[in-house]
Amino acid sequence: AILTDDFSNGLLRHYIVGGYKRFSIICAKFIHYLLGSVILLFVYPLICVLLTAVIYGVEQSFLEIVQTMLLFFIKSLTLYLGILGLFFFISISTKKGVAAMGASIAISVIITVFTNAFYEKIPEILKYSPIISLNELTSNNDKEYLISSIISILIMLICFWGSFIKFKEDDAL
């Protein structure tokens, strides 16, 4: 009786009729795109490790490989923030899951290949690239790691800012 009375006269009826507020829907979409980008961020190093294991073989157990990968991922998290920002911008721009995943992986591979190819020609500039710093993570060069981390965070902030502007234009906040 309490539930039916509340449904016909009270809060539940008002909530069902009123639906969700536009701001709640937009925030949910924004978080959805961000979580998708985070998932893509974890997929990228996982694919790299698996390809390396297949190509070169491994002498460690799978658990040791996963543990080592997680430790390096945590250490390299600031370097991955720029990639996260890029994935997020692509997700906001395409608004299609499969297209965002394909474009994100393709662009990250292209960036990695070109950065590594040009590193031999202009190492004094590209040594601060987050992609190069990921490759050099075990060298313990704190200055280059710090500068690369700052660059990566700036890339993330620029991509998030661009994503927010694109999102705002598309969904008319």
Side-chain angles (χ1 to χ4, degrees):
I2 294 174
L3 182 62
T4 57
D5 184 47
D6 187 51
F7 182 74
S8 59
N9 297 329
L11 179 65
L12 188 57
R13 181 176 178 202
H14 174 70
Y15 192 69
I16 291 172
V17 171
Y20 292 104
K21 298 206 182 307
R22 181 162 177 73
F23 183 74
S24 298
I25 294 170
I26 290 173
C27 284
K29 285 175 66 177
F30 206 72
I31 291 169
H32 175 260
Y33 288 128
L34 185 60
L35 288 175
S37 300
V38 169
I39 290 170
L40 281 173
L41 185 67
F42 284 108
V43 168
Y44 180 72
L46 183 63
I47 289 172
C48 291
V49 169
L50 290 176
L51 285 176
T52 303
V54 168
I55 293 171
Y56 295 110
V58 292
E59 296 177 6
Q60 298 175 326
S61 70
F62 181 73
L63 185 60
E64 289 174 337
I65 292 171
V66 170
Q67 181 183 11
T68 304
M69 186 180 99
L70 285 174
L71 290 174
F72 276 114
F73 186 76
I74 290 168
K75 187 175 180 183
S76 64
L77 196 56
T78 56
L79 301 173
Y80 277 111
L81 290 177
I83 297 171
L84 172 67
L86 183 63
F87 288 172
F88 186 67
F89 182 73
I90 292 169
S91 296
I92 293 290
S93 298
T94 61
K95 297 192 187 269
K96 302 287 183 193
V98 174
M101 187 183 318
S104 295
I105 291 173
I107 288 174
S108 62
V109 167
I110 289 169
I111 289 171
T112 302
V113 168
F114 281 118
T115 303
N116 288 328
F118 288 118
Y119 181 63
E120 296 173 2
K121 296 176 182 157
I122 46 175
E124 61 279 350
I125 295 171
L126 289 179
K127 71 180 177 182
Y128 299 115
S129 163
I131 300 296
I132 297 299
S133 290
L134 282 171
N135 295 336
E136 307 278 331
L137 198 58
T138 57
S139 68
N140 294 324
N141 190 338
D142 292 334
K143 179 185 173 191
E144 290 176 8
Y145 176 79
L146 179 64
I147 292 171
S148 297
S149 295
I150 291 170
I151 290 170
S152 184
I153 291 169
L154 287 174
I155 290 169
M156 179 197 67
L157 291 173
I158 290 168
C159 288
F160 276 13
W161 179 69
S163 299
F164 182 73
I165 290 172
K166 174 83 171 123
F167 193 78
K168 187 176 174 183
E169 288 173 0
D170 290 349
D171 290 329
L173 276 176

